[in-house]
């Protein structure tokens, strides 16, 4: 079995609140078809790909519920699944999940080229807040709308349609947390798919970070964590101006040495295609990052013992 | 108290096996004096700064023992400590430690400008092997010569001579392990000092990595881990050709956004000086990397439960 997988990062431009869902789905199907034409067998879409990034508003009732999927697939998204299966292309896609028992998650799905579902993931690292920021024009209410994913970071061994890759998923903010990458690395991950919606600047002003710095951060964490776990990574943005709030682009495909092999140049719908030789993960996993030989978990206790910072005591005044 | 600390990264060129220790110490004192003249109050020297990188050879008896310090300071290195105290400059230095009970460690020391010892650290992530590689011209025998450091990654709150910084130490390979950075981050670290000796290429041939790629790796991990822990980092090489075995340079000073603010351009003795505003760590620690708000240690179990990889089971043949 060939260990080379042709992957397309399907960056999406903005999706406005008023855009009909069928319009957005049409854009995704076009990206999928372009990817298939270029020979890709895996297409990576962004986080919350079917809608605008709705946690920027305080919503309730149907204005909120309308963004959630009650099953996956469901009739509203079925055409994407059907087209993918017909083309023999699999995909990663992020979506807002309303689980049968009523909990909501920021979730992602990996679908193999034959249409079977390889795996599901629910976002662990929810940014933002539960309570709205008073007077702010834009919110970040992921902690209000979603429950924390509670199944860790599972890796999945794909079938021949994905070259037998060991694959993992993250969503947006997860990629800034090396713990997420390491838990996947400890399962031998060879390809990490990440969709994101990352603000290009503080939409309420104030923190001094601009789009260039935030794009740098986004790529830096993908590069270093790919290297430190000897894995490929595909990080894909929803980008551009959504109803006055800017999102970075910077989608990229990163090799197991942490080098960017393909990178988005726009803030719109844009496809990056690359051949990922999964065997390029081998050297790192066998040598520098041979975890069994070199990790010292007995020295890592605080990482799982507590969430927050405990500073060393102040020195005695001399 | 000012929260700005002027730091000098004191990259060192190669130290040959035949170089007298007094000669090497003289180079270190010159770097220290240059740093003091440029107003630095902290000088960061490399790993195993007083000697050549001796784990590249299979040694025993006095040929091995001569590289170790039986106390720190001791008469052979006292002139560095004396000169530093006289100039009011503190330093980080890496050295081979022979502990009173007979164990050996790859260690580092942080000395404050008043000459007091702020902290000690023993390298956790020892690369290489216990047994020599048969027929190899150069070895990497750290696992043979040193015991694993067993006190984790302690952070230290410095006195006013170091602007009250919360400081941590790593040694060489540690910097490639995000666990090391995170344990320091969980103590609120504001400045991580790392000395290293990193091979510029496989001296026995074979793995295809060159000095440019390895320098990229070295800087990438310092940058991303500094950002992900909202800390300054100073990473300092012993560089150049030691007895036919090449070491990368690439010493750098990295800000809490992961940006390189100063970078070595040579493979020789070279000083990089920068003003580190410790308060630049605050925004990251309060927002994006507010660990108490955002970390989910319940999902990180495998990181401390085991050292090595457990791959997902192969899919059932369809």
């Amino acid at each position: 079995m060939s260990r080379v997988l042709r992957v397309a990062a399907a960056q999406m431009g903005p999706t406005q609140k008023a855009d009909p869902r069928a319009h957005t789905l049409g854009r995704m199907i076009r990206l999928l078809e372009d990817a298939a034409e270029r020979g890709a067998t895996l297409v990576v879409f962004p986080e919350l790909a079917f809608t605008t990034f709705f946690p920027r508003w305080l919503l309730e009732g149907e204005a909120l519920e309308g963004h959630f999927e009650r099953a996956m697939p469901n009739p509203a998204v079925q055409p994407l699944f059907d087209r993918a299966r017909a083309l023999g292309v699999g995909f990663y896609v992020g979506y807002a999940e309303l689980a049968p028992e009523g909990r909501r998650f920021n979730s992602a799905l990996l679908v193999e080229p034959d249409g079977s579902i390889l795996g599901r993931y629910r976002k662990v690292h929810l940014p933002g807040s539960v309570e709205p920021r008073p007077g702010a024009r834009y919110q970040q209410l992921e902690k209000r709308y979603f429950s924390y994913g509670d199944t860790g970071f599972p890796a999945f061994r794909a079938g021949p349609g994905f070259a037998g890759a060991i694959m993992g998923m993250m969503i947006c903010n997860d990629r800034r947390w090396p713990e997420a990458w390491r838990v996947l690395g400890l399962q031998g991950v060879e390809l990490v798919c990440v969709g994101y919606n990352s603000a290009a600047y503080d939409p309420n002003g104030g923190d001094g970070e601009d789009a260039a710095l935030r794009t740098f951060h986004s790529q830096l964490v993908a590069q270093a964590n790919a290297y430190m776990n000897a894995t490929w990574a595909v990080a894909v943005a929803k980008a551009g101006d959504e109803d006055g709030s800017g999102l970075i682009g910077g989608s990229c495909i990163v090799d197991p040495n942490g080098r960017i092999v393909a990178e988005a140049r726009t803030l719109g719908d844009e496809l990056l295609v690359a051949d990922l030789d999964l065997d390029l993960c081998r050297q790192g996993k066998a040598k520098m990052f041979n975890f069994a030989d070199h990790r010292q978990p007995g020295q890592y206790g605080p990482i799982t013992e507590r969430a927050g910072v405990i500073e060393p005591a102040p020195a005695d005044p001399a």
Side-chain angles (χ1 to χ4, degrees), chain A residues 29-65:
Chain A
I29 290 172
R30 273 196 299 282
L31 285 161
L32 185 88
E33 290 172 341
D34 288 353
E37 196 163 309
R38 292 170 67 178
T41 49
L42 167 62
V43 180
V44 180
F45 291 109
E47 176 194 35
L48 298 174
F50 300 111
T51 66
T52 192
F53 186 74
F54 62 90
R56 71 167 64 89
W57 294 293
L58 180 60
L59 303 171
E60 53 186 21
E62 181 49 32
L64 176 63
E65 301 301 335

Side-chain angles (χ1 to χ4, degrees), chain A residues 7-174:
Chain A
V7 174
Q11 178 173 291
M12 296 178 66
T15 296
Q16 311 305 330
K17 204 174 181 177
D19 288 349
R21 289 190 54 153
H23 172 76
T24 305
L25 200 73
R27 287 166 56 201
M28 294 173 72
I29 290 172
R30 273 196 299 282
L31 285 161
L32 185 88
E33 290 172 341
D34 288 353
E37 196 163 309
R38 292 170 67 178
T41 49
L42 167 62
V43 180
V44 180
F45 291 109
E47 176 194 35
L48 298 174
F50 300 111
T51 66
T52 192
F53 186 74
F54 62 90
R56 71 167 64 89
W57 294 293
L58 180 60
L59 303 171
E60 53 186 21
E62 181 49 32
L64 176 63
E65 301 301 335
H67 296 96
F68 282 81
E69 316 298 324
R70 279 154 188 75
M72 188 59 89
N74 60 61
V77 302
Q78 191 66 50
L80 177 71
F81 285 71
D82 291 345
R83 194 76 184 110
R85 188 173 177 176
L87 292 167
V89 176
F91 60 93
Y92 160 109
V93 69
Y95 64 103
E97 175 189 4
L98 176 56
E101 80 282 10
R103 289 196 299 169
R104 297 181 180 85
F105 298 96
N106 188 338
S107 296
L109 200 64
L110 259 177
V111 180
E112 294 201 81
D114 66 2
S116 59
I117 290 178
L118 176 61
R120 299 168 185 274
Y121 169 69
R122 291 166 167 173
K123 185 174 181 177
V124 167
H125 295 101
L126 298 174
S129 57
V130 174
E131 296 304 323
R133 290 170 60 180
R137 184 166 167 217
Y138 297 103
Q139 303 294 337
Q140 212 308 12
L141 292 170
E142 286 192 58
K143 284 190 199 288
R144 182 184 191 87
Y145 296 145
F146 302 118
S147 296
Y148 292 102
D150 57 4
T151 55
F153 303 91
F156 303 95
R157 189 187 293 267
F162 285 160
I166 300 176
M167 300 176 68
M169 289 177 273
M170 294 185 196
I171 301 176
C172 195
N173 188 36
D174 286 324

Side-chain angles (χ1 to χ4, degrees), chain A residues 248-270:
Chain A
I248 61 168
S251 301
C252 58
I253 300 176
V254 177
D255 78 11
N257 275 302
R259 295 176 293 205
I260 292 175
V261 300
E263 182 178 5
R265 298 296 175 188
T266 74
L267 296 178
D269 289 7
E270 180 180 351

